[in-house]
Amino acid sequence: MAAQLTFDSDVFRSFAFYATICVVKMMLMSLYTARFRIGKKVFENPEDCKGQKRDGRPVQISKDEDVERVRRNHQNDIENIIPFVLLGFVYVLTGPAVSAALTHFRVFTASRIIHTLAYQIPIPQPSRAFSFLVGLIINMSMAVQIIIYAA
């Protein structure tokens, strides 16, 4: 089992690579949210508004559709990438074939990138829903294989 969790293992190395891409993408969404909040002076906390002015007037707590769109996209990443990382780590321990593991990791990563582009551009539905569903199916596939292996 220890050999499966080293960078000598093609499956683990691939998992580490694609999981890191997903996590970094998720982390960048928080910076993207901050960029919109600061640029538009749209804040959710009173202490963030202090000293800020918009059109010469003090900034109040407010909502903005652009900020909310990025925030919802980030929330969706949190709800999907964290399970991918947890499931993927355990999936590696099941000793999957390299080709099967690469398919899972690559398709999930692509689905999250496509989901973000579809959300932020925005590209009309069902593009975003389809990319979400593909990622969900990948996570469920790994979960089922873990359950079968562990049973």
Side-chain angles (χ1 to χ4, degrees):
M1 181 184 316
Q4 292 169 319
L5 297 178
T6 69
F7 281 91
D8 292 331
S9 163
D10 290 338
V11 172
F12 181 75
R13 188 173 53 254
S14 297
F15 169 68
F17 177 78
Y18 289 105
T20 300
I21 287 174
C22 289
V23 168
V24 168
K25 182 224 142 338
M26 182 174 64
M27 291 166 43
L28 290 174
M29 291 305 293
S30 64
L31 295 176
Y32 198 47
T33 304
R35 175 187 168 266
F36 273 89
R37 282 196 187 286
I38 293 166
K40 293 189 157 215
K41 296 187 180 196
V42 173
F43 305 106
E44 288 189 342
N45 302 301
E47 64 272 17
D48 298 335
C49 297
K50 191 169 182 153
Q52 297 285 330
K53 294 196 182 285
R54 185 182 324 125
D55 300 327
R57 294 184 292 186
V59 171
Q60 301 291 320
I61 294 173
S62 61
K63 299 261 186 216
D64 177 87
E65 180 50 36
D66 293 333
V67 172
E68 290 302 305
R69 177 172 286 279
V70 178
R71 193 187 61 70
R72 288 189 306 267
N73 192 174
H74 185 208
Q75 181 65 37
N76 192 276
D77 273 353
I78 291 166
E79 294 167 358
N80 289 277
I81 292 173
I82 291 173
F84 168 73
V85 171
L86 296 171
L87 289 167
F89 183 78
V90 178
Y91 175 68
V92 167
L93 296 174
T94 69
V98 174
S99 61
L102 276 171
T103 299
H104 280 87
F105 305 153
R106 287 176 177 165
V107 170
F108 181 86
T109 301
S111 77
R112 293 315 303 169
I113 292 168
I114 292 166
H115 182 270
T116 295
L117 293 173
Y119 219 137
Q120 297 309 308
I121 289 177
I123 298 171
Q125 287 284 30
S127 58
R128 191 176 78 238
F130 180 72
S131 60
F132 165 79
L133 185 60
V134 167
L136 180 64
I137 289 169
I138 293 295
N139 276 342
M140 292 303 292
S141 173
M142 288 191 298
V144 166
Q145 291 177 66
I146 291 165
I147 291 166
I148 291 169
Y149 185 84

